[in-house]
Amino acid sequence: MSAATRRLTTAQALVRFLSAQYTERDGVRRRLIAGTWGIFGHGNVAGIGQALVEYAAVMPYHQGRNEQAMVHAAVGHARQLNRLSAQAVTTSIGPGATNLVTGAALATVNRLPVLLLPGDYFASRVADPLLQQLEHPVEADVSVNDTLRPVSRYFDRITRPEALIPSALNAVRVLADPAETGAVTLALPQDVQAEAYDWPEEFFTERVWSVRRPAPDPAELTAAVAAVRSARRPLIVAGGGIHHSEAEQALKALVDATGIPVASTQAGKGSLRHDHPADLGGIGHTGTAVSDELARTADLVIGVGTRYSDFTTASGTLFQHPDVRFLNLNITGFDAHKLAARTLVCDARTGLEQLAGALAGHRVEPSYEAEYRAGKERWERVVETAYRADDDTAVPTQTQVLGALDAVVGDEDVVINAAGSLPGDLHKLWRSRSPRQYHLEYGYSCMGYEIPAALGVQQAAPGTPVWALVGDGTYLMNPTEIVTAVQENLPVKLVLIQNHGYASIGGLSESVGAERFGTAYRHRAADGTFTGAPLPVDLAANAASLGMDVLRAKTVRELRNALAEARASDRPTCVYVETDPAPTAPPAEAWWDVPVAEVSTREAAVRARARYDSEAAGRRRHL
């Protein structure tokens, strides 16, 4: 007797298969692919598009406006749910597919799952060349989708229906594996999408993918315990892996027992509440004074779930103790071995729990605790100064905007940002009150991430106030998903800060001798410089034209009122504020390597190069 089969198109089979995939960790089960974002064209409308209609009851569909933005929304969703649930994104061939590349890179850099389903050329080549097909003169099997290969953790082109079976299983395996996850791409030739096949019924049965919590190797754990016990000035660097593993309570238990202080990366901020006595805030180029001071004198750096970006290490200049050693707890060996560290290759929560158990009775010296607690108190006064507004009728500064928002949000609110000057201010100043409140995409620091990501977070956490913080430069990159927020009635809150230019890159430009060239939104003079009054651009009116409720705030008092009104609203709402451009954030406490012109006729560049050479001399190779 032959096995049971079901005759479906390839696209129908894929959607049906995806609807039956689940993850499970700690007894909690979630849909692996919770929904599909899509923009349709000739490469996917008759295949995946028809399949989504066929299975609308089991696969939710979300209409996007920009392909890159759809990936950002899916990434925001996955991060909010600790990588236990993801979303798919389908596009046509051609520009729709290539628009996925930036979002795919962001997902893979940040180790966050997203499934990409771009259309592709005809596998049969009966229509060749077809509209939007790339014709490569010596590699006929190349399409524009091959641009997704280097930014995908798994890539396949499905050129026959039956090839989908192993490929789909591999795709979801990677998506559900915390050590492998990132962007996964299944390129789908449009003729194969519509082709029928007799699929084995077992392909559509419900599958549960166990998200493992691997324990540390006993020998590695023994060595790690010895390293901690022998350290006099240990420092934990908390990365995003703590959040992905839901290891915050395990970290707190270890810190409460041992007194080891914690500094956090952008992805790891919020691993401890801001008011925990051992929470020192951000580390690295955008870190706090107390974190960076301790990092320079730490004799043991314990990295937990971090990939040690250059911002975290201050481009190799931060950890300056002559005998500094590293102990890295990470679920991937790739990250655990960085900086020639001792390794604990394991799940963050499991590893922290076992480390705490093995360190029973061990605690850092009281003088060390007193030192970092005093430094924390000093930094808190810096935060208060940056947040404080003595004149409620004045135009707010950017840090006063953060202070006003700090006074409005609750513990459950989520604050999203990615690029510009805001990440530095937030990393130094924001008081994280819960594990998911601080949502900074700084692995790729992608302008235009914030608004679509807010949609994904809002879908993942209905009823949670979700704030997207953007400057004018970021807003102009990618405002289109405002329309989707209105369409799907997602009550995201947008704080749009207008300072008429690229504030962050403008400051960097000045510091490296490029004299803020091309960083302001102003009229262009005949000599190529940008001078005069700001351009007559009304971004608030633009947001309103896309369907948002808009609240304009000109003073600190109006800003506070507008933020409170936005938080209470059940509609997508924008708070628009023009800020005083005078810098009020604390200066950088550590270096960041941006190479400066080695020779120049301009004095600004010459001076910048001298500073660069001085800072670069402090770089260390930890081997």
Side-chain angles (χ1 to χ4, degrees):
M1 185 176 180
S2 61
T5 60
R6 190 184 309 190
R7 191 161 182 81
L8 301 172
T9 68
T10 303
Q12 291 166 356
L14 177 58
V15 172
R16 181 68 187 84
F17 167 82
L18 292 174
S19 71
Q21 307 305 304
Y22 292 83
T23 63
E24 185 174 71
R25 186 171 71 182
D26 304 330
V28 178
R29 181 178 297 192
R30 292 185 181 275
R31 273 279 294 268
L32 175 59
I33 304 300
T36 299
W37 289 88
I39 297 175
F40 294 113
H42 73 98
N44 64 342
V45 66
I48 292 291
Q50 189 283 326
L52 289 169
V53 173
E54 190 92 13
Y55 290 107
V58 294
M59 179 58 70
Y61 166 71
H62 310 292
Q63 185 180 46
R65 267 73 196 178
N66 174 281
E67 292 85 0
Q68 180 188 138
M70 293 193 297
V71 185
H72 293 338
V75 167
H77 176 277
R79 177 169 171 174
Q80 181 67 22
L81 295 177
N82 299 318
R83 305 192 298 195
L84 298 174
S85 180
Q87 292 176 320
V89 177
T90 180
T91 71
S92 179
I93 71 171
T98 53
N99 281 350
L100 295 173
V101 173
T102 296
L106 180 149
T108 295
V109 165
N110 287 284
R111 282 62 161 169
L112 292 166
V114 61
L115 176 61
L116 308 180
L117 305 173
D120 213 320
Y121 57 56
F122 280 50
S124 63
R125 312 293 175 87
V126 295
D128 185 68
L130 70 153
L131 178 64
Q132 299 178 323
Q133 180 177 342
L134 175 71
E135 292 185 88
H136 197 287
V138 295
E139 294 180 278
D141 63 338
V142 169
S143 83
V144 296
N145 287 329
D146 288 280
T147 60
L148 288 160
R149 286 182 183 271
V151 293
S152 296
R153 292 292 291 171
Y154 179 83
F155 179 98
D156 196 9
R157 180 177 287 113
I158 311 301
T159 56
R160 293 181 58 84
E162 59 266 39
L164 177 66
I165 295 174
S167 189
L169 289 166
N170 272 319
V172 295
R173 172 188 59 79
V174 172
L175 288 169
D177 187 337
E180 295 290 335
T181 198
V184 168
T185 300
L186 297 181
L188 302 171
Q190 54 189 298
D191 55 344
V192 177
Q193 289 182 47
E195 187 175 345
Y197 180 75
D198 293 324
W199 303 89
E201 195 65 40
E202 294 85 352
F203 187 53
F204 307 114
T205 58
E206 184 178 294
R207 278 173 211 274
V208 180
W209 299 81
S210 177
V211 180
R212 297 181 294 277
R213 289 194 180 278
D217 177 83
E220 286 194 340
L221 181 62
T222 298
V225 170
V228 176
R229 288 187 178 276
S230 65
R232 297 179 62 85
R233 300 181 65 83
L235 174 67
I236 293 173
V237 175
I242 290 178
H243 294 311
H244 299 326
S245 178
E246 299 174 289
E248 297 89 358
Q249 288 303 311
L251 175 67
K252 182 178 182 298
L254 173 67
V255 170
D256 287 345
T258 64
I260 301 174
V262 176
S264 55
T265 69
Q266 287 280 16
K269 193 173 171 75
S271 295
L272 290 180
R273 266 187 66 101
H274 74 93
D275 52 3
H276 191 285
D279 179 64
L280 308 183
I283 190 171
H285 178 63
T286 53
T288 68
V290 59
S291 285
D292 288 350
E293 287 167 6
L294 260 66
R296 291 185 181 96
T297 61
D299 57 358
L300 179 67
V301 178
I302 306 168
V304 184
T306 178
R307 63 189 190 92
Y308 286 112
S309 77
D310 60 341
F311 259 57
T312 298
T313 67
S315 300
T317 64
L318 187 58
F319 305 113
Q320 288 296 328
H321 190 288
D323 299 316
V324 64
R325 295 167 297 156
F326 295 85
L327 169 64
N328 291 340
L329 192 163
N330 205 294
I331 200 164
T332 71
F334 178 81
D335 290 315
H337 281 87
K338 289 177 178 176
L339 303 176
R342 293 183 181 274
T343 61
L344 278 176
V345 181
C346 59
D347 169 72
R349 193 173 86 183
T350 302
L352 288 170
E353 288 173 347
Q354 292 199 13
L355 189 61
L359 285 169
H362 175 74
R363 192 168 184 87
V364 300
E365 295 177 0
S367 60
Y368 185 49
E369 284 193 75
E371 176 188 343
Y372 70 68
R373 291 190 181 200
K376 177 179 173 66
E377 290 176 5
R378 287 194 299 273
W379 187 257
E380 187 59 31
R381 292 193 289 272
V382 172
V383 175
E384 290 291 347
T385 299
Y387 279 1
R388 186 172 60 243
D390 296 323
D391 182 0
D392 280 1
T393 64
V395 174
T397 65
Q398 182 162 285
T399 58
Q400 288 169 349
V401 172
L402 299 184
L405 184 61
D406 175 77
V408 167
V409 300
D411 288 9
E412 69 275 22
D413 293 39
V414 178
V415 176
I416 301 172
N417 186 241
S421 57
L422 278 166
D425 293 357
L426 286 160
H427 199 206
K428 295 171 188 170
L429 304 174
W430 189 257
R431 298 159 166 163
S432 298
R433 307 174 195 183
S434 61
R436 276 279 155 249
Q437 182 170 88
Y438 188 87
H439 183 127
L440 261 283
E441 188 290 296
Y442 215 59
Y444 210 49
S445 187
C446 186
M447 296 178 73
Y449 171 82
E450 296 91 339
I451 296 173
L455 273 61
V457 172
Q458 193 75 84
Q459 289 174 330
T464 297
V466 179
W467 302 83
L469 274 57
V470 300
D472 45 63
T474 289
Y475 179 85
L476 287 169
M477 288 278 183
N478 206 1
T480 55
E481 299 318 297
I482 287 174
V483 177
T484 303
V486 173
Q487 180 181 34
E488 299 216 0
N489 195 30
L490 296 170
V492 295
K493 294 90 171 63
L494 171 61
V495 180
L496 176 50
I497 300 173
Q498 171 65 280
N499 54 25
H500 302 286
Y502 299 114
S504 174
I505 208 67
L508 178 62
S509 173
E510 185 173 32
S511 72
V512 299
E515 303 176 51
R516 292 186 177 264
F517 179 76
T519 62
Y521 295 150
R522 297 179 183 275
H523 291 282
R524 188 185 185 108
D527 64 357
T529 61
F530 296 86
T531 60
L535 297 176
V537 175
D538 189 342
L539 299 184
N542 179 262
S545 75
L546 297 177
M548 271 197 140
D549 293 345
V550 175
L551 306 171
R552 294 177 183 259
K554 296 182 178 180
T555 68
V556 172
R557 181 184 300 120
E558 290 177 3
L559 174 64
R560 289 173 182 154
N561 293 337
L563 291 171
E565 184 176 344
R567 188 174 189 274
S569 176
D570 61 358
R571 286 212 0 104
T573 303
C574 170
V575 176
Y576 174 84
V577 57
E578 293 198 42
T579 56
D580 182 338
T584 52
E589 297 289 340
W591 188 55
W592 181 42
D593 189 350
V594 178
V596 176
E598 193 167 2
V599 295
S600 176
T601 60
R602 300 186 70 84
E603 184 59 30
V606 172
R607 291 194 302 269
R609 180 67 193 196
R611 293 192 300 271
Y612 176 84
D613 289 339
S614 175
E615 294 285 0
R619 191 197 318 274
R620 293 182 62 183
R621 296 275 188 189
H622 298 287
L623 300 172

